[in-house]
Amino acid sequence: MPWGGRVIGYDPVYNASLEPFLDFVDFETLIKESDIVQVHIPLTPENKGMFSANEFAKMKDDAILVNQSRGELVDTAALIVALKYHEIGGAALDVLEGEEKIFGRKFEDVGSLPDEYTELINLPNVVMSPHSAYYTKMAVKNMFLQSMTDIERTLSGKKAFFKVN
């Protein structure tokens, strides 16, 4: 594994092709043993709030939660408590629960944001960034070209390169 570390992963659907890169574990083992929990999953009704007070209590007190998927996977109020009381070490958030409240709005200052966002911003163990890493001319162009390529492939009976689950 990279730099001598152990990489573990959880997925309800086992994928043998990933075995050379990680050890598959159950969700309980993942949250108990990980130093860094990086979230890359779609939001479904079944996993909404999957990181809540119960999960934070099981994580290492110096563990870092990195959410780059969907904000609603994390119970924000429970995350704030876990961060304040050092149940976990920190959080890196690219997405937030209820972020649709702030899309397209201009805020005069940080204090005019919704309370939970202001609270997260002011915690020393939180890093937040806008979910916009994809938004460059090259990235947008590539998304368009990849989509068009897959449409052509699918229409001609071939398998798509960039399958969406």
Side-chain angles (χ1 to χ4, degrees):
M1 295 298 164
W3 302 295
R6 178 176 179 227
V7 178
I8 60 176
Y10 163 76
D11 193 318
V13 179
Y14 174 74
N15 182 343
S17 69
L18 296 175
E19 279 293 341
F21 310 105
L22 61 85
D23 296 329
F24 275 94
V25 296
D26 59 46
F27 184 66
E28 189 89 4
T29 301
L30 179 91
I31 60 173
K32 286 182 178 180
E33 294 185 11
S34 294
D35 296 314
I36 300 170
V37 176
Q38 195 161 358
V39 184
H40 295 281
I41 59 174
L43 178 65
T44 65
E46 297 78 28
N47 64 20
K48 183 176 182 179
M50 75 183 289
F51 287 92
S52 64
N54 183 48
E55 288 71 30
F56 296 133
K58 293 176 184 176
M59 291 171 70
K60 294 179 178 183
D61 61 2
D62 60 349
I64 306 293
L65 176 71
V66 179
N67 187 5
Q68 297 172 285
S69 294
R70 296 289 176 256
E72 284 72 15
L73 296 168
V74 177
D75 177 335
T76 303
L79 174 63
I80 291 169
V81 169
L83 291 162
K84 280 185 170 181
Y85 294 100
H86 308 288
E87 291 179 16
I88 66 171
L93 307 170
D94 185 51
V95 290
L96 295 167
E97 182 178 25
E99 60 191 12
E100 66 280 353
K101 295 183 277 190
I102 63 170
F103 286 157
R105 292 190 49 207
K106 181 178 179 182
F107 295 90
E108 297 303 319
D109 56 35
V110 172
S112 62
L113 287 168
D115 290 343
E116 63 272 18
Y117 298 169
T118 303
E119 202 162 357
L120 283 168
I121 288 168
N122 289 314
L123 288 171
N125 50 352
V126 174
V127 174
M128 293 171 56
S129 65
H131 192 63
S132 60
Y134 74 93
Y135 200 66
T136 64
K137 286 181 182 180
M138 181 181 286
V140 172
K141 178 182 174 184
N142 287 342
M143 284 188 285
F144 174 78
L145 293 174
Q146 290 169 349
S147 297
M148 293 298 101
T149 299
D150 271 359
I151 289 169
E152 288 174 351
R153 288 183 61 79
T154 302
L155 290 174
S156 66
K158 297 176 184 168
K159 185 177 176 184
F161 289 126
F162 304 98
K163 182 179 167 189
V164 177
N165 54 344

mmCIF file of all heavy atoms in Angstrom, residues 3 5 28 34 38-39 46 48 69 78 96 100 106 112-116 144 147 151 158 160:
data_model
loop_
_atom_site.group_PDB
_atom_site.id
_atom_site.type_symbol
_atom_site.label_atom_id
_atom_site.label_comp_id
_atom_site.label_asym_id
_atom_site.label_seq_id
_atom_site.Cartn_x
_atom_site.Cartn_y
_atom_site.Cartn_z
ATOM 1 N N TRP A 3 3.064 4.347 0.710
ATOM 2 C CA TRP A 3 3.845 4.845 1.837
ATOM 3 C C TRP A 3 3.776 3.931 3.057
ATOM 4 O O TRP A 3 3.900 4.375 4.192
ATOM 5 C CB TRP A 3 3.410 6.259 2.232
ATOM 6 C CG TRP A 3 3.541 7.213 1.104
ATOM 7 C CD1 TRP A 3 4.686 7.596 0.492
ATOM 8 C CD2 TRP A 3 2.487 7.879 0.423
ATOM 9 N NE1 TRP A 3 4.406 8.466 -0.530
ATOM 10 C CE2 TRP A 3 3.054 8.661 -0.591
ATOM 11 C CE3 TRP A 3 1.100 7.903 0.572
ATOM 12 C CZ2 TRP A 3 2.312 9.452 -1.445
ATOM 13 C CZ3 TRP A 3 0.372 8.679 -0.284
ATOM 14 C CH2 TRP A 3 0.973 9.447 -1.278
ATOM 15 N N GLY A 5 1.248 2.503 4.377
ATOM 16 C CA GLY A 5 -0.010 2.561 5.115
ATOM 17 C C GLY A 5 -0.965 1.477 4.660
ATOM 18 O O GLY A 5 -0.801 0.866 3.611
ATOM 19 N N GLU A 28 -18.636 -0.777 9.923
ATOM 20 C CA GLU A 28 -18.263 -0.644 11.341
ATOM 21 C C GLU A 28 -16.736 -0.644 11.506
ATOM 22 O O GLU A 28 -16.174 0.190 12.215
ATOM 23 C CB GLU A 28 -18.888 -1.795 12.132
ATOM 24 C CG GLU A 28 -18.753 -1.669 13.618
ATOM 25 C CD GLU A 28 -19.905 -0.896 14.235
ATOM 26 O OE1 GLU A 28 -20.857 -0.518 13.536
ATOM 27 O OE2 GLU A 28 -19.828 -0.673 15.434
ATOM 28 N N SER A 34 -10.169 3.672 10.854
ATOM 29 C CA SER A 34 -9.591 4.640 9.913
ATOM 30 C C SER A 34 -9.063 5.888 10.599
ATOM 31 O O SER A 34 -9.693 6.439 11.505
ATOM 32 C CB SER A 34 -10.637 5.066 8.889
ATOM 33 O OG SER A 34 -10.998 3.984 8.079
ATOM 34 N N GLN A 38 -12.668 8.993 3.961
ATOM 35 C CA GLN A 38 -12.963 9.802 2.787
ATOM 36 C C GLN A 38 -14.233 9.244 2.148
ATOM 37 O O GLN A 38 -14.306 8.067 1.818
ATOM 38 C CB GLN A 38 -11.793 9.760 1.818
ATOM 39 C CG GLN A 38 -11.874 10.818 0.779
ATOM 40 C CD GLN A 38 -10.533 11.066 0.115
ATOM 41 O OE1 GLN A 38 -9.532 10.468 0.452
ATOM 42 N NE2 GLN A 38 -10.531 11.953 -0.850
ATOM 43 N N VAL A 39 -15.222 10.102 1.986
ATOM 44 C CA VAL A 39 -16.547 9.679 1.542
ATOM 45 C C VAL A 39 -16.720 9.983 0.056
ATOM 46 O O VAL A 39 -16.601 11.130 -0.367
ATOM 47 C CB VAL A 39 -17.647 10.390 2.356
ATOM 48 C CG1 VAL A 39 -19.026 9.882 1.957
ATOM 49 C CG2 VAL A 39 -17.418 10.206 3.852
ATOM 50 N N GLU A 46 -31.484 5.552 1.775
ATOM 51 C CA GLU A 46 -30.954 4.622 2.773
ATOM 52 C C GLU A 46 -29.707 5.146 3.482
ATOM 53 O O GLU A 46 -29.437 4.768 4.617
ATOM 54 C CB GLU A 46 -30.621 3.263 2.145
ATOM 55 C CG GLU A 46 -31.808 2.523 1.566
ATOM 56 C CD GLU A 46 -32.249 3.046 0.196
ATOM 57 O OE1 GLU A 46 -31.413 3.590 -0.554
ATOM 58 O OE2 GLU A 46 -33.453 2.944 -0.107
ATOM 59 N N LYS A 48 -28.811 8.551 3.789
ATOM 60 C CA LYS A 48 -28.901 9.927 4.273
ATOM 61 C C LYS A 48 -28.581 9.940 5.769
ATOM 62 O O LYS A 48 -29.127 9.158 6.533
ATOM 63 C CB LYS A 48 -30.294 10.497 4.016
ATOM 64 C CG LYS A 48 -30.420 11.943 4.427
ATOM 65 C CD LYS A 48 -31.773 12.508 4.085
ATOM 66 C CE LYS A 48 -31.791 13.976 4.486
ATOM 67 N NZ LYS A 48 -33.061 14.599 4.176
ATOM 68 N N SER A 69 -18.695 14.058 -1.350
ATOM 69 C CA SER A 69 -19.804 13.442 -2.077
ATOM 70 C C SER A 69 -21.055 14.293 -2.046
ATOM 71 O O SER A 69 -21.303 15.072 -2.950
ATOM 72 C CB SER A 69 -20.110 12.064 -1.489
ATOM 73 O OG SER A 69 -19.039 11.199 -1.704
ATOM 74 N N ALA A 78 -24.608 16.877 14.430
ATOM 75 C CA ALA A 78 -23.811 15.856 15.117
ATOM 76 C C ALA A 78 -22.323 16.044 14.829
ATOM 77 O O ALA A 78 -21.479 15.835 15.719
ATOM 78 C CB ALA A 78 -24.261 14.459 14.692
ATOM 79 N N LEU A 96 -21.941 20.397 1.877
ATOM 80 C CA LEU A 96 -22.605 20.595 3.162
ATOM 81 C C LEU A 96 -24.068 20.202 3.084
ATOM 82 O O LEU A 96 -24.715 20.376 2.051
ATOM 83 C CB LEU A 96 -22.522 22.059 3.591
ATOM 84 C CG LEU A 96 -21.129 22.598 3.886
ATOM 85 C CD1 LEU A 96 -21.153 24.111 3.975
ATOM 86 C CD2 LEU A 96 -20.590 21.990 5.166
ATOM 87 N N GLU A 100 -28.154 23.863 -0.619
ATOM 88 C CA GLU A 100 -29.019 24.538 -1.595
ATOM 89 C C GLU A 100 -29.543 25.864 -1.030
ATOM 90 O O GLU A 100 -29.940 26.749 -1.783
ATOM 91 C CB GLU A 100 -30.171 23.629 -2.041
ATOM 92 C CG GLU A 100 -31.176 23.283 -0.967
ATOM 93 C CD GLU A 100 -30.748 22.166 -0.023
ATOM 94 O OE1 GLU A 100 -29.705 21.519 -0.244
ATOM 95 O OE2 GLU A 100 -31.463 21.930 0.967
ATOM 96 N N LYS A 106 -25.746 35.915 -2.449
ATOM 97 C CA LYS A 106 -24.591 36.708 -2.040
ATOM 98 C C LYS A 106 -24.742 37.014 -0.553
ATOM 99 O O LYS A 106 -25.798 37.473 -0.110
ATOM 100 C CB LYS A 106 -24.523 38.002 -2.842
ATOM 101 C CG LYS A 106 -23.338 38.853 -2.484
ATOM 102 C CD LYS A 106 -23.271 40.095 -3.331
ATOM 103 C CE LYS A 106 -22.065 40.907 -2.907
ATOM 104 N NZ LYS A 106 -21.960 42.148 -3.655
ATOM 105 N N SER A 112 -23.548 36.320 8.151
ATOM 106 C CA SER A 112 -24.891 36.260 7.567
ATOM 107 C C SER A 112 -25.216 34.891 6.963
ATOM 108 O O SER A 112 -26.303 34.682 6.441
ATOM 109 C CB SER A 112 -25.063 37.365 6.518
ATOM 110 O OG SER A 112 -24.149 37.195 5.461
ATOM 111 N N LEU A 113 -24.268 33.963 7.062
ATOM 112 C CA LEU A 113 -24.511 32.587 6.622
ATOM 113 C C LEU A 113 -25.424 31.880 7.616
ATOM 114 O O LEU A 113 -25.539 32.302 8.778
ATOM 115 C CB LEU A 113 -23.199 31.814 6.534
ATOM 116 C CG LEU A 113 -22.273 32.156 5.381
ATOM 117 C CD1 LEU A 113 -20.902 31.533 5.609
ATOM 118 C CD2 LEU A 113 -22.859 31.670 4.072
ATOM 119 N N PRO A 114 -26.063 30.774 7.236
ATOM 120 C CA PRO A 114 -26.821 29.993 8.210
ATOM 121 C C PRO A 114 -25.925 29.609 9.399
ATOM 122 O O PRO A 114 -24.725 29.390 9.243
ATOM 123 C CB PRO A 114 -27.255 28.756 7.412
ATOM 124 C CG PRO A 114 -27.290 29.230 5.991
ATOM 125 C CD PRO A 114 -26.161 30.220 5.882
ATOM 126 N N ASP A 115 -26.515 29.542 10.584
ATOM 127 C CA ASP A 115 -25.762 29.341 11.825
ATOM 128 C C ASP A 115 -24.813 28.151 11.790
ATOM 129 O O ASP A 115 -23.668 28.255 12.219
ATOM 130 C CB ASP A 115 -26.715 29.179 13.012
ATOM 131 C CG ASP A 115 -27.435 30.470 13.354
ATOM 132 O OD1 ASP A 115 -26.973 31.547 12.907
ATOM 133 O OD2 ASP A 115 -28.456 30.407 14.066
ATOM 134 N N GLU A 116 -25.277 27.012 11.254
ATOM 135 C CA GLU A 116 -24.422 25.816 11.278
ATOM 136 C C GLU A 116 -23.175 25.990 10.402
ATOM 137 O O GLU A 116 -22.105 25.489 10.716
ATOM 138 C CB GLU A 116 -25.184 24.541 10.899
ATOM 139 C CG GLU A 116 -25.737 24.500 9.496
ATOM 140 C CD GLU A 116 -27.131 25.093 9.311
ATOM 141 O OE1 GLU A 116 -27.596 25.857 10.173
ATOM 142 O OE2 GLU A 116 -27.753 24.779 8.288
ATOM 143 N N PHE A 144 -18.102 17.330 -21.410
ATOM 144 C CA PHE A 144 -18.932 17.356 -22.601
ATOM 145 C C PHE A 144 -18.472 16.299 -23.615
ATOM 146 O O PHE A 144 -19.267 15.508 -24.121
ATOM 147 C CB PHE A 144 -18.908 18.759 -23.241
ATOM 148 C CG PHE A 144 -19.620 18.818 -24.557
ATOM 149 C CD1 PHE A 144 -21.005 18.865 -24.601
ATOM 150 C CD2 PHE A 144 -18.911 18.809 -25.748
ATOM 151 C CE1 PHE A 144 -21.670 18.901 -25.813
ATOM 152 C CE2 PHE A 144 -19.570 18.845 -26.967
ATOM 153 C CZ PHE A 144 -20.953 18.888 -27.002
ATOM 154 N N SER A 147 -19.154 12.767 -22.461
ATOM 155 C CA SER A 147 -20.588 12.466 -22.576
ATOM 156 C C SER A 147 -20.975 12.162 -24.016
ATOM 157 O O SER A 147 -21.687 11.186 -24.297
ATOM 158 C CB SER A 147 -21.424 13.640 -22.059
ATOM 159 O OG SER A 147 -21.186 13.843 -20.697
ATOM 160 N N ILE A 151 -22.404 8.670 -25.556
ATOM 161 C CA ILE A 151 -23.686 8.617 -26.270
ATOM 162 C C ILE A 151 -23.492 7.922 -27.615
ATOM 163 O O ILE A 151 -24.264 7.029 -27.988
ATOM 164 C CB ILE A 151 -24.277 10.034 -26.441
ATOM 165 C CG1 ILE A 151 -24.771 10.556 -25.090
ATOM 166 C CG2 ILE A 151 -25.408 10.031 -27.467
ATOM 167 C CD1 ILE A 151 -25.137 12.028 -25.089
ATOM 168 N N LYS A 158 -22.118 -0.226 -28.375
ATOM 169 C CA LYS A 158 -20.903 -0.464 -27.602
ATOM 170 C C LYS A 158 -21.116 -0.074 -26.134
ATOM 171 O O LYS A 158 -22.053 0.649 -25.801
ATOM 172 C CB LYS A 158 -19.731 0.332 -28.178
ATOM 173 C CG LYS A 158 -19.369 -0.067 -29.598
ATOM 174 C CD LYS A 158 -18.264 0.822 -30.135
ATOM 175 C CE LYS A 158 -17.972 0.499 -31.591
ATOM 176 N NZ LYS A 158 -17.117 1.509 -32.209
ATOM 177 N N ALA A 160 -20.399 1.932 -22.746
ATOM 178 C CA ALA A 160 -19.961 3.275 -22.379
ATOM 179 C C ALA A 160 -18.681 3.212 -21.560
ATOM 180 O O ALA A 160 -18.483 2.288 -20.767
ATOM 181 C CB ALA A 160 -21.057 3.975 -21.570
#
